[in-house]
Amino acid sequence: MAEEKAVGNRKNLSDMTLEEMRVWFLSLGEKRFRADQVYRWIYQGAGSFDEMKNLPVNLRKKLAVTARLAVPHIVQVQRAADGTRKYLFRLEDDNCIESVFMKYHYGNAICVSSQAGCRMGCAFCASTREGLARNLSAGEMAGQVLAAQRETGERIGHIVVMGSGEPFENYDALARFLRLLHAKDALGISMRHITVSTCGLVPGIHRFVRDFPQVNLAISLHAPTDALRSRLMPVNRKYPLTELMAACEDYMAQTGRRITFEYALMKGINDRDEDIARLLALLAGKRAHVNLIPLNAVRESAFSGSSRTRAREICQILEDHGIPATVRRRLGSEIDAACGQLRLSRKRS
């Protein structure tokens, strides 16, 4: 308990903007440029003050007792032949989270977590199996990006907030994270290269369109009717499809941008001809793109994924009806690909 209290009393520099850090350093009686040095080290992926060799030894000692870097520690890395890497990170309080690094023709991307665990209760998802442990801070979200860049030695230019957790349940930290990512003195990532995914928290969508009109929005849809979606995703009981689609229409009207609808294909559940006909009706006339994802098998779930052949058939049906669609490229097929699987496997062992 004493150690936890000590950690809590030390200022978490990873969550700060550059201007906030300058103010804090001045309050310590230090020069403003020292804050700039520390900030640069943080965004180069430094994991400790001892690595910051251009700081005086006395300052490093002072920082060690007054401040901390909430840097996720890599516990395990799974590597696939296509360059995909899945990371299991341990946080300061021993909670674990996951991130996935992916290589595309347009550059490197990473899928980050916004919470340790999740309380949304989606029936097919591994992330929610043990509920929500806690929200992540902005620095812990950014730390996943920085740790992956450091481990791979490669620049990451695209961010997807689609790992474990519901981002809009942790909205304030998410917003700070997005601004840190975009800041030119931090990672300098274009807002248009960032995507945030939600399972359908309607108030969060309305807030998001006001605050971040340039950031891409993805909706975890997974079912074309309220009856099926409520069975698969409890959030639909509070925000049914009529409310969700109205919020999506508002986003599209205000931003002029399309929304990606994520649709995890489950054999015999949501991939039948009648399901796809209902999906077509739901999305008709909307500025939408459908990302079809044959479900990754999760040991604790009774659901099985549709075949890639069936996924391609559905993709063609959507395209034939004027709805752009893709079948998600099968990245890292030989590793624990579904969100939460690596974290769960660690808990089982």
Side-chain angles (χ1 to χ4, degrees):
M1 292 296 292
E3 183 179 349
E4 288 180 11
K5 185 176 180 182
V7 167
N9 288 338
R10 285 155 45 208
K11 196 72 172 177
N12 180 8
L13 303 189
S14 301
D15 285 341
M16 289 187 178
T17 65
L18 177 56
E19 193 52 43
E20 288 169 343
M21 194 172 296
R22 286 169 175 168
V23 170
W24 186 75
F25 266 72
L26 289 172
S27 75
L28 291 182
E30 297 292 336
K31 300 292 186 183
R32 174 188 170 103
F33 79 92
R34 294 299 185 193
D36 293 38
Q37 289 176 313
V38 171
Y39 204 77
R40 281 194 293 273
W41 276 109
I42 289 172
Y43 283 94
Q44 289 169 15
S48 70
F49 296 119
D50 284 339
E51 295 178 41
M52 303 179 183
K53 298 302 185 184
N54 59 347
L55 300 184
V57 173
N58 286 344
L59 176 55
R60 278 182 262 159
K61 289 180 178 178
K62 181 193 284 190
L63 291 174
V65 296
T66 59
R68 70 188 208 276
L69 303 174
V71 178
H73 172 70
I74 297 175
V75 175
Q76 184 179 350
V77 185
Q78 291 185 339
R79 297 176 176 86
D82 61 12
T84 301
R85 301 188 191 197
K86 185 156 193 178
Y87 297 96
L88 180 67
F89 291 110
R90 186 173 64 244
L91 306 174
E92 289 178 299
D93 59 0
D94 287 333
N95 272 301
C96 288
I97 56 171
E98 297 169 40
S99 303
V100 181
F101 169 87
M102 300 159 285
K103 299 181 79 69
Y104 291 99
H105 65 88
Y106 53 74
N108 297 325
I110 188 169
C111 179
V112 301
S113 295
S114 56
Q115 296 178 310
C118 182
R119 73 182 187 100
M120 291 294 100
C122 297
F124 50 85
C125 182
S127 296
T128 195
R129 290 290 154 184
E130 296 190 355
L132 175 66
R134 68 170 176 86
N135 288 330
L136 302 189
S137 74
E140 288 171 327
M141 289 184 239
Q144 297 167 63
V145 184
L146 298 170
Q149 285 193 152
R150 180 168 178 166
E151 196 272 335
T152 61
E154 298 187 36
R155 163 81 174 166
I156 294 172
H158 298 262
I159 310 295
V160 184
V161 188
M162 203 182 288
S164 64
E166 165 51 53
F168 289 168
E169 270 219 319
N170 189 17
Y171 191 92
D172 290 341
L174 170 73
R176 176 172 280 262
F177 166 61
L178 297 180
R179 293 183 177 113
L180 287 175
L181 283 180
H182 182 60
K184 66 179 187 301
D185 43 38
L187 286 172
I189 294 175
S190 167
M191 290 289 190
R192 294 186 181 275
H193 291 173
I194 304 170
T195 299
V196 176
S197 176
T198 176
C199 68
L201 297 189
V202 168
I205 295 172
H206 289 307
R207 190 176 176 187
F208 185 71
V209 73
R210 292 194 305 269
D211 295 345
F212 299 100
Q214 291 183 305
V215 176
N216 301 300
L217 177 64
I219 302 292
S220 294
L221 184 62
H222 308 313
T225 65
D226 279 324
L228 180 56
R229 196 164 190 270
S230 293
R231 175 184 153 201
L232 297 175
M233 304 176 70
V235 68
N236 196 74
R237 298 165 198 163
K238 185 168 186 179
Y239 302 111
L241 282 170
T242 50
E243 290 185 40
L244 174 59
M245 297 313 293
C248 290
E249 292 277 13
D250 178 59
Y251 172 90
M252 290 182 276
Q254 291 198 46
T255 65
R257 311 184 71 201
R258 73 180 186 180
I259 292 175
T260 295
F261 290 90
E262 306 283 339
Y263 198 89
L265 289 166
M266 291 163 261
K267 186 177 180 181
I269 303 293
N270 66 354
D271 69 344
R272 300 163 300 176
D273 289 344
E274 56 266 38
D275 300 316
I276 305 311
R278 292 178 182 123
L279 181 62
L280 286 168
L282 183 68
L283 299 181
K286 294 179 173 60
R287 193 178 290 111
H289 174 269
V290 179
N291 191 11
L292 298 165
I293 312 159
L295 184 75
N296 283 302
V298 175
R299 187 186 307 176
E300 292 80 2
S301 169
F303 300 103
S304 59
S306 308
S307 69
R308 293 193 75 79
T309 297
R310 179 56 177 157
R312 287 191 289 269
E313 291 172 354
I314 293 170
C315 184
Q316 190 61 57
I317 293 169
L318 293 169
E319 292 276 358
D320 289 345
H321 286 79
I323 297 177
T326 50
V327 179
R328 180 179 288 178
R329 176 181 156 206
R330 196 171 183 182
L331 292 163
S333 57
E334 65 266 43
I335 61 178
D336 290 322
C339 289
Q341 283 190 328
L342 194 54
R343 181 171 176 259
L344 274 180
S345 66
R346 175 177 168 80
K347 292 199 171 211
R348 293 189 203 105
S349 60

